[in-house]
Amino acid sequence: MVKHQPLQVYERQLCLSCITGIYGCRWKRYQRSHDNTTKWELLWSLILLFTFSLLLIWSYFWWEADNDYNEFNWFLYNNSGEWTDGTVPILATTAAGFTYIAFLMVLALCHVALGQQLNLHWLHKIGVTASLLTTIVGIISVNQTWTQEWDIIPISLQATGPFLHVGALAAATALSWIVAGQVARAEKTIFQVVIVLLYLSVLLGLYVLPLYITSPCIMDPRTLKPRPEVFGHQGVPMLAPENTLWSFQRALQMNVTGLEADVAISVDGVPFLMHDLTLRRTTNVDEVFPDRKTKAASWFNWTDLQQLNAGEWFLKNDPFWTASSMSQKERNLTSKQRVCSLEQLLKMASDHNITVVVRLRRPPRDHPFNSTWINETLQVVQNSGLLQSLVMWTQDDEREQVKQWAPGFIQTSLVKHSPEHLRSSGIRGLLLRYNQVDANEITNFSNNNISLTLYTVNEPWLFSMLWCSGVSAVSSEAPHILRKVPSPIWLMSPRTYQLIWVSADLISFAVVIGIFILQKYRMSGIRSYNPEQIMLSAAVRTSSRDINVMKEKLIFSAQPQ
């Protein structure tokens, strides 16, 4: 006699197999577990969460730091002596690391939502550790070499804060499904209370966060000041080699209000335009004067400087990834550029009646013009024919004497002082890096008739924020980009923002309550449900059902009567 042969039917769950398999290499159903996660694995989950949070901040930093990528590369050049785009490997590794860690976070949340035990595979643990250590090393390196750039985070939050808040609120609301499921599934009341209190604390913090979000662009649109003037910083160095005539001509094509240049003085007394201390980065001095390539630019005479090519490096290094888009005519003009003198720049400015910002660099101590460099430069300015009212003089040395020789100059300081001190010193303008002033200081300077110019502003979002703040002018390496910003990227009244804020909070609260009620109802009858529970069935299955289920027969040996 043979007994009845029951069937064990297991539902296929390919999605669950992929989740547990990728996260912990648990591809088989018998490898999975609904037991509580061990303390060791909980620790790794916290490490994963910390790594994700750190990488999120690191990624956001580099996303917003694109305004200053050229500045970063210049720092690298000063340390290594070779020009490379150091942002490329950083951005590539950051994107790869963040994508990987974010994917693991999603898998971990899926495990929690499905009630599966967290068990991160050892290969992933190595990957998480490598990502964490790499990010920490990167943060320390930036903190040591580029400390001032951390200011980009609070500045950028003024532009992105209202939108990041809505995004964070949506994410926290979506997480309520997992939280509610854990609460409904838990058997201990204390655990339920702790989870609910932690979640509600985070949610409440997000609800009131707009109280601490400030942005110059949350304002009455009727009080918006005129569009800031745009100065070409070294011309348009994104489109042409910096501090060359071709670069300044491109800037004029972009309808800039003024031109800003760095001025050095040659060994024979000719003021010329050069940003670096040496000529290695922006000329072919290595080829023409290989034995003098490390000498300061001021130790060359004007005849020697005119032998150098100041444009081929731009085509070769392509510092802004724009050389490939140049026409053949533009490439020919670029390749023929020479070191530009201050006299040539001033003549161009005089012909077009635009402002020139002069930033001088004192020659070395033993230089023939170390004591008379101001006079030599001033003489060139006065002989150029450019109106004194179009010259922004930034040098503090011998400023009182310069005022007497050229009373019409716009005396401008490179150091931030109080409006009272500036007025008493006869200074009418400030030229500062954009992170050196906040919105309140900008308003204070404006109310005291101090013209404020901030550098270097390349990105539309930063230009928009400064516009809303009331800045009178910006110095940019990308006038061709800023000219496409006829108004701030976004601008809303306080009442509109309050309406968005309150509406988002109410919608989030209603959705969270609804999800908690739904999860409680959903879990009430299946608290002990196992997604892979065994179902005994003697019923005949259709052929289509046979495709979607796995049947295993338990064969019993025959029992004699």
Side-chain angles (χ1 to χ4, degrees):
M1 176 180 178
V2 179
K3 291 187 177 181
H4 177 68
Q5 298 177 354
L7 297 178
Q8 289 183 327
V9 182
Y10 294 92
E11 291 188 359
R12 289 184 182 273
Q13 292 187 315
L14 296 179
C15 181
L16 180 61
S17 297
C18 289
I19 291 173
T20 57
I22 296 174
Y23 187 82
C25 202
R26 295 185 171 191
W27 299 96
K28 307 295 183 180
R29 63 178 179 275
Y30 59 81
Q31 293 176 327
R32 302 171 195 150
S33 174
H34 288 270
D35 296 336
N36 293 331
T37 303
T38 64
K39 293 181 179 179
W40 174 247
E41 291 299 331
L42 280 176
L43 176 61
W44 272 107
S45 299
L46 292 176
I47 294 175
L48 176 62
L49 177 60
F50 177 74
T51 304
F52 173 77
S53 303
L54 203 61
L55 262 173
L56 184 63
I57 297 173
W58 181 246
S59 301
Y60 180 82
F61 168 80
W62 281 103
W63 176 41
E64 296 297 349
D66 59 349
N67 182 82
D68 304 314
Y69 284 170
N70 186 54
E71 181 182 280
F72 176 74
N73 289 331
W74 189 71
F75 284 155
L76 293 181
Y77 170 78
N78 285 337
N79 292 329
S80 66
E82 297 294 333
W83 178 267
T84 56
D85 192 344
T87 62
V88 173
I90 292 176
L91 294 175
T93 55
T94 298
F98 180 75
T99 302
Y100 171 63
I101 297 299
F103 181 60
L104 290 182
M105 277 295 302
V106 171
L107 292 179
L109 291 175
C110 290
H111 275 72
V112 175
L114 297 172
Q116 291 289 322
Q117 184 185 53
L118 290 171
N119 186 29
L120 187 65
H121 193 261
W122 65 269
L123 281 176
H124 289 319
K125 291 176 181 177
I126 295 176
V128 170
T129 303
S131 300
L132 177 60
L133 294 178
T134 302
T135 306
I136 291 175
V137 170
I139 292 175
I140 294 174
S141 300
V142 168
N143 197 53
Q144 292 178 344
T145 60
W146 205 23
T147 305
Q148 62 182 1
E149 192 63 19
W150 288 119
D151 293 337
I152 197 69
I153 292 181
I155 293 174
S156 65
L157 286 176
Q158 296 179 28
T160 61
F163 309 100
L164 291 179
H165 167 251
V166 174
L169 193 60
T173 303
L175 283 176
S176 65
W177 179 267
I178 296 177
V179 175
Q182 290 298 301
V183 171
R185 192 180 291 115
E187 298 179 355
K188 296 182 179 180
T189 304
I190 184 65
F191 179 78
Q192 293 176 322
V193 172
V194 170
I195 292 296
V196 170
L197 287 179
L198 286 175
Y199 178 70
L200 291 181
S201 299
V202 173
L203 206 59
L204 181 61
L206 289 175
Y207 286 162
V208 301
L209 184 61
L211 291 174
Y212 304 96
I213 293 178
T214 59
S215 174
C217 289
I218 300 177
M219 59 179 295
D220 186 346
R222 294 172 296 181
T223 63
L224 181 66
K225 293 189 175 182
R227 188 177 188 271
E229 297 177 346
V230 177
F231 291 178
H233 181 71
Q234 302 171 0
V236 189
M238 287 192 179
L239 301 180
E242 64 187 56
N243 283 323
T244 61
L245 282 178
W246 174 229
S247 183
F248 294 119
Q249 288 170 359
R250 293 302 305 268
L252 294 176
Q253 294 172 5
M254 306 303 164
N255 298 321
V256 297
T257 307
L259 301 171
E260 179 186 350
D262 306 285
V263 181
I265 190 166
S266 68
V267 74
D268 53 347
V270 178
F272 65 98
L273 309 185
M274 186 60 56
H275 177 268
D276 297 2
L277 291 176
T278 69
L279 302 166
R280 292 191 63 192
R281 181 173 67 91
T282 57
T283 72
N284 61 339
V285 68
D286 287 359
E287 302 173 5
V288 181
F289 303 107
D291 56 331
R292 302 166 60 190
K293 60 184 180 182
T294 59
K295 274 189 170 293
S298 295
W299 285 113
F300 287 76
N301 61 45
W302 181 242
T303 302
D304 291 343
L305 291 171
Q306 285 296 281
Q307 297 182 47
L308 301 176
N309 185 293
E312 290 179 350
W313 73 273
F314 185 85
L315 298 175
K316 177 183 177 181
N317 295 333
D318 197 6
F320 294 97
W321 302 81
T322 55
S324 59
S325 62
M326 298 171 66
S327 66
Q328 188 58 46
K329 180 180 178 180
E330 291 172 339
R331 294 179 70 89
N332 291 337
L333 284 171
T334 298
S335 65
K336 297 176 181 179
Q337 292 305 300
R338 302 293 176 181
V339 176
C340 181
S341 68
L342 176 61
E343 180 182 3
Q344 292 172 309
L345 171 63
L346 295 176
K347 185 180 184 305
M348 180 185 295
S350 178
D351 292 342
H352 293 83
N353 201 36
I354 63 171
T355 302
V356 173
V357 183
V358 181
R359 301 188 64 171
L360 305 181
R361 183 171 67 243
R362 186 165 193 163
R365 180 175 301 178
D366 297 332
H367 195 277
F369 294 92
N370 176 264
S371 59
T372 60
W373 61 295
I374 294 290
N375 296 343
E376 298 297 329
T377 305
L378 189 61
Q379 188 67 38
V380 172
V381 177
Q382 290 178 323
N383 294 339
S384 67
L386 182 65
L387 296 175
Q388 291 187 5
S389 59
L390 295 178
V391 177
M392 292 178 63
W393 189 265
T394 62
Q395 193 62 39
D396 282 331
D397 297 80
E398 304 179 23
R399 189 182 289 275
E400 293 303 320
Q401 185 177 356
V402 172
K403 290 179 185 178
Q404 296 177 3
W405 288 346
F409 282 2
I410 303 174
Q411 294 297 328
T412 305
S413 176
L414 298 176
V415 181
K416 184 173 70 174
H417 295 289
S418 65
E420 295 76 18
H421 179 273
L422 294 174
R423 286 202 311 268
S424 64
S425 302
I427 296 175
R428 294 183 291 156
L430 273 177
L431 180 62
L432 303 173
R433 194 175 188 270
Y434 66 83
N435 67 327
Q436 292 183 285
V437 290
D438 56 32
N440 293 330
E441 291 174 322
I442 292 173
T443 301
N444 189 25
F445 286 123
S446 177
N447 293 337
N448 285 273
N449 296 319
I450 301 296
S451 175
L452 183 61
T453 303
L454 300 182
Y455 66 89
T456 307
V457 180
N458 299 327
E459 290 299 312
W461 70 264
L462 182 57
F463 181 68
S464 299
M465 294 304 301
L466 297 177
W467 185 348
C468 294
S469 300
V471 169
S472 55
V474 300
S475 180
S476 175
E477 295 171 331
H480 61 295
I481 295 177
L482 299 189
R483 72 181 300 194
K484 300 177 183 178
V485 187
S487 61
I489 293 178
W490 67 270
L491 189 66
M492 69 176 74
S493 65
R495 172 169 288 188
T496 301
Y497 180 58
Q498 290 175 1
L499 179 62
I500 295 175
W501 164 25
V502 174
S503 299
D505 285 357
L506 291 177
I507 293 173
S508 171
F509 184 74
V511 171
V512 168
I513 295 299
I515 288 176
F516 268 81
I517 293 174
L518 177 62
Q519 283 285 56
K520 182 177 180 180
Y521 172 78
R522 179 172 172 270
M523 293 290 185
S524 59
I526 53 174
R527 183 177 297 273
S528 60
Y529 173 71
N530 184 342
E532 293 187 349
Q533 66 183 16
I534 301 175
M535 298 179 294
L536 299 178
S537 175
V540 176
R541 307 298 183 186
T542 63
S543 59
S544 61
R545 179 61 176 167
D546 290 338
I547 297 176
N548 299 320
V549 301
M550 177 182 68
K551 299 178 179 180
E552 294 184 359
K553 294 183 178 181
L554 301 179
I555 307 301
F556 296 88
S557 58
Q559 299 290 334
Q561 291 186 347

